[in-house]
Each structure stands twice: as C-alpha cells, then as structure tokens.
Amino acid sequence: MQTLMPMEKPTVVSHREAREIALRLISGSFRRDREKLPPASKPRLSVPMRADDDDMRLLSYIEQNEAAVRRFPFEGGRTELQEALHRAAAAEASLANLTECLHRRPATKDA
C-alpha cells in the first residue's frame, strides 16, 4: 500500500470532511465542456501536491480508518470493513467507467 510522502504528516480527517471532499472530487469529475464550478464545489488539487489537497486528505482519512480497524478489531469488523472496501472499489470503478463515457465524444456521421 502506498502511503503519504515522509515529509507530509497525516492529519485527522472527520467523516463529514471526507464526505465533502468526495463530493468535490465527484463534482469535478462530472464537469462538462469546461463548466465553471463555484469555489465550494471545486476540487482542491495542485501540482505539485500539498498535504491539504483533497486527494491527500482523502488518503489520510482512509489511512486513519485502516489504522483504527487494526488497533481495535472486533468480531466481524474486518469482514464488514473488507466488504465495505470491496463495494467502494466496485463503485469507484463504475464511476470511472461512467466518467469516461460522459467525456467520450459521440461519433460523427459523414454527410
């Protein structure tokens, strides 16, 4: 598993913040024809990446929750978490396919 760069400290990310980050990333994925998004809906990304970018914060959230499960395993907890991660991965793959289809240009017919 890839972790954050050593110079970057992971920070605590709440469930609410993680949801807001995910919604911004989704909004950014479904823009059409260079649609302008309001600042609150625009994904926070930069090159080179910074620790407060949405993708880095979401990775911190995932890592902190994985660590919590390792620290406090409970009966059936890992199985439930693994199932939830599997469903999330499947949803992410479906979203990627949908995004690709939305950005694909329709074939033009010769007149």
Side-chain angles (χ1 to χ4, degrees), residues 32-33 100-110:
R32 297 187 70 111
D33 299 325
E100 183 181 329
C101 289
L102 287 173
H103 292 299
R104 198 176 296 151
R105 300 234 185 259
T108 58
K109 295 182 181 180
D110 292 329

PDB file of all heavy atoms in Angstrom, residues 32-33 100-110:
ATOM      1  N   ARG A  32     -18.779  19.420 -17.545  1.00  0.00           N
ATOM      2  CA  ARG A  32     -18.895  19.238 -18.997  1.00  0.00           C
ATOM      3  C   ARG A  32     -18.488  20.516 -19.700  1.00  0.00           C
ATOM      4  O   ARG A  32     -18.844  21.604 -19.268  1.00  0.00           O
ATOM      5  CB  ARG A  32     -20.318  18.859 -19.362  1.00  0.00           C
ATOM      6  CG  ARG A  32     -20.749  17.524 -18.760  1.00  0.00           C
ATOM      7  CD  ARG A  32     -22.089  17.142 -19.305  1.00  0.00           C
ATOM      8  NE  ARG A  32     -21.956  16.795 -20.706  1.00  0.00           N
ATOM      9  CZ  ARG A  32     -22.101  15.574 -21.185  1.00  0.00           C
ATOM     10  NH1 ARG A  32     -22.358  14.593 -20.376  1.00  0.00           N
ATOM     11  NH2 ARG A  32     -21.988  15.338 -22.466  1.00  0.00           N
ATOM     12  N   ASP A  33     -17.745  20.355 -20.774  1.00  0.00           N
ATOM     13  CA  ASP A  33     -17.360  21.496 -21.605  1.00  0.00           C
ATOM     14  C   ASP A  33     -16.739  22.629 -20.781  1.00  0.00           C
ATOM     15  O   ASP A  33     -17.130  23.787 -20.908  1.00  0.00           O
ATOM     16  CB  ASP A  33     -18.569  22.012 -22.402  1.00  0.00           C
ATOM     17  CG  ASP A  33     -19.122  20.943 -23.333  1.00  0.00           C
ATOM     18  OD1 ASP A  33     -18.314  20.148 -23.868  1.00  0.00           O
ATOM     19  OD2 ASP A  33     -20.339  20.895 -23.511  1.00  0.00           O
ATOM     20  N   GLU A 100     -15.757   8.193 -17.964  1.00  0.00           N
ATOM     21  CA  GLU A 100     -15.154   8.007 -19.292  1.00  0.00           C
ATOM     22  C   GLU A 100     -16.213   8.105 -20.382  1.00  0.00           C
ATOM     23  O   GLU A 100     -16.007   8.744 -21.410  1.00  0.00           O
ATOM     24  CB  GLU A 100     -14.453   6.649 -19.352  1.00  0.00           C
ATOM     25  CG  GLU A 100     -13.749   6.405 -20.667  1.00  0.00           C
ATOM     26  CD  GLU A 100     -13.073   5.038 -20.719  1.00  0.00           C
ATOM     27  OE1 GLU A 100     -12.641   4.556 -19.661  1.00  0.00           O
ATOM     28  OE2 GLU A 100     -13.004   4.471 -21.815  1.00  0.00           O
ATOM     29  N   CYS A 101     -17.372   7.488 -20.151  1.00  0.00           N
ATOM     30  CA  CYS A 101     -18.448   7.542 -21.146  1.00  0.00           C
ATOM     31  C   CYS A 101     -18.964   8.966 -21.331  1.00  0.00           C
ATOM     32  O   CYS A 101     -19.244   9.384 -22.452  1.00  0.00           O
ATOM     33  CB  CYS A 101     -19.599   6.627 -20.727  1.00  0.00           C
ATOM     34  SG  CYS A 101     -19.218   4.874 -20.858  1.00  0.00           S
ATOM     35  N   LEU A 102     -19.077   9.716 -20.246  1.00  0.00           N
ATOM     36  CA  LEU A 102     -19.592  11.081 -20.336  1.00  0.00           C
ATOM     37  C   LEU A 102     -18.629  11.999 -21.091  1.00  0.00           C
ATOM     38  O   LEU A 102     -19.047  12.928 -21.760  1.00  0.00           O
ATOM     39  CB  LEU A 102     -19.843  11.651 -18.939  1.00  0.00           C
ATOM     40  CG  LEU A 102     -21.045  11.076 -18.208  1.00  0.00           C
ATOM     41  CD1 LEU A 102     -21.071  11.589 -16.779  1.00  0.00           C
ATOM     42  CD2 LEU A 102     -22.340  11.419 -18.905  1.00  0.00           C
ATOM     43  N   HIS A 103     -17.343  11.725 -20.996  1.00  0.00           N
ATOM     44  CA  HIS A 103     -16.358  12.578 -21.652  1.00  0.00           C
ATOM     45  C   HIS A 103     -16.029  12.126 -23.068  1.00  0.00           C
ATOM     46  O   HIS A 103     -15.350  12.828 -23.796  1.00  0.00           O
ATOM     47  CB  HIS A 103     -15.068  12.646 -20.820  1.00  0.00           C
ATOM     48  CG  HIS A 103     -15.252  13.378 -19.533  1.00  0.00           C
ATOM     49  ND1 HIS A 103     -15.635  14.686 -19.460  1.00  0.00           N
ATOM     50  CD2 HIS A 103     -15.133  12.978 -18.249  1.00  0.00           C
ATOM     51  CE1 HIS A 103     -15.738  15.063 -18.219  1.00  0.00           C
ATOM     52  NE2 HIS A 103     -15.440  14.051 -17.447  1.00  0.00           N
ATOM     53  N   ARG A 104     -16.514  10.974 -23.455  1.00  0.00           N
ATOM     54  CA  ARG A 104     -16.249  10.470 -24.801  1.00  0.00           C
ATOM     55  C   ARG A 104     -17.105  11.264 -25.785  1.00  0.00           C
ATOM     56  O   ARG A 104     -18.280  11.497 -25.579  1.00  0.00           O
ATOM     57  CB  ARG A 104     -16.625   8.981 -24.859  1.00  0.00           C
ATOM     58  CG  ARG A 104     -16.016   8.271 -26.032  1.00  0.00           C
ATOM     59  CD  ARG A 104     -16.339   6.793 -25.999  1.00  0.00           C
ATOM     60  NE  ARG A 104     -15.732   6.175 -24.826  1.00  0.00           N
ATOM     61  CZ  ARG A 104     -16.231   5.114 -24.208  1.00  0.00           C
ATOM     62  NH1 ARG A 104     -17.336   4.564 -24.616  1.00  0.00           N
ATOM     63  NH2 ARG A 104     -15.614   4.602 -23.173  1.00  0.00           N
ATOM     64  N   ARG A 105     -16.525  11.680 -26.839  1.00  0.00           N
ATOM     65  CA  ARG A 105     -17.260  12.442 -27.865  1.00  0.00           C
ATOM     66  C   ARG A 105     -18.037  11.464 -28.739  1.00  0.00           C
ATOM     67  O   ARG A 105     -17.522  10.424 -29.132  1.00  0.00           O
ATOM     68  CB  ARG A 105     -16.284  13.218 -28.728  1.00  0.00           C
ATOM     69  CG  ARG A 105     -15.453  14.197 -27.941  1.00  0.00           C
ATOM     70  CD  ARG A 105     -15.593  15.568 -28.541  1.00  0.00           C
ATOM     71  NE  ARG A 105     -14.733  16.517 -27.900  1.00  0.00           N
ATOM     72  CZ  ARG A 105     -15.153  17.375 -27.002  1.00  0.00           C
ATOM     73  NH1 ARG A 105     -16.401  17.401 -26.652  1.00  0.00           N
ATOM     74  NH2 ARG A 105     -14.325  18.233 -26.458  1.00  0.00           N
ATOM     75  N   PRO A 106     -19.276  11.804 -29.070  1.00  0.00           N
ATOM     76  CA  PRO A 106     -20.049  10.924 -29.948  1.00  0.00           C
ATOM     77  C   PRO A 106     -19.434  10.892 -31.351  1.00  0.00           C
ATOM     78  O   PRO A 106     -18.887  11.879 -31.828  1.00  0.00           O
ATOM     79  CB  PRO A 106     -21.441  11.542 -29.976  1.00  0.00           C
ATOM     80  CG  PRO A 106     -21.259  12.950 -29.505  1.00  0.00           C
ATOM     81  CD  PRO A 106     -20.016  12.981 -28.667  1.00  0.00           C
ATOM     82  N   ALA A 107     -19.551   9.760 -32.004  1.00  0.00           N
ATOM     83  CA  ALA A 107     -19.039   9.617 -33.382  1.00  0.00           C
ATOM     84  C   ALA A 107     -19.880  10.488 -34.302  1.00  0.00           C
ATOM     85  O   ALA A 107     -21.096  10.591 -34.154  1.00  0.00           O
ATOM     86  CB  ALA A 107     -19.107   8.164 -33.804  1.00  0.00           C
ATOM     87  N   THR A 108     -19.243  11.139 -35.232  1.00  0.00           N
ATOM     88  CA  THR A 108     -19.984  11.987 -36.175  1.00  0.00           C
ATOM     89  C   THR A 108     -20.209  11.204 -37.469  1.00  0.00           C
ATOM     90  O   THR A 108     -19.368  10.407 -37.884  1.00  0.00           O
ATOM     91  CB  THR A 108     -19.199  13.287 -36.481  1.00  0.00           C
ATOM     92  OG1 THR A 108     -17.927  12.923 -36.999  1.00  0.00           O
ATOM     93  CG2 THR A 108     -19.041  14.122 -35.223  1.00  0.00           C
ATOM     94  N   LYS A 109     -21.354  11.442 -38.067  1.00  0.00           N
ATOM     95  CA  LYS A 109     -21.670  10.783 -39.336  1.00  0.00           C
ATOM     96  C   LYS A 109     -21.260  11.684 -40.481  1.00  0.00           C
ATOM     97  O   LYS A 109     -21.432  12.904 -40.428  1.00  0.00           O
ATOM     98  CB  LYS A 109     -23.176  10.512 -39.420  1.00  0.00           C
ATOM     99  CG  LYS A 109     -23.660   9.522 -38.393  1.00  0.00           C
ATOM    100  CD  LYS A 109     -25.126   9.272 -38.550  1.00  0.00           C
ATOM    101  CE  LYS A 109     -25.624   8.303 -37.508  1.00  0.00           C
ATOM    102  NZ  LYS A 109     -27.043   8.046 -37.635  1.00  0.00           N
ATOM    103  N   ASP A 110     -20.716  11.081 -41.515  1.00  0.00           N
ATOM    104  CA  ASP A 110     -20.378  11.870 -42.715  1.00  0.00           C
ATOM    105  C   ASP A 110     -21.660  12.237 -43.442  1.00  0.00           C
ATOM    106  O   ASP A 110     -22.580  11.451 -43.579  1.00  0.00           O
ATOM    107  CB  ASP A 110     -19.471  11.056 -43.668  1.00  0.00           C
ATOM    108  CG  ASP A 110     -18.105  10.830 -43.042  1.00  0.00           C
ATOM    109  OD1 ASP A 110     -17.655  11.690 -42.265  1.00  0.00           O
ATOM    110  OD2 ASP A 110     -17.490   9.790 -43.355  1.00  0.00           O
TER     111      ASP A 110
END
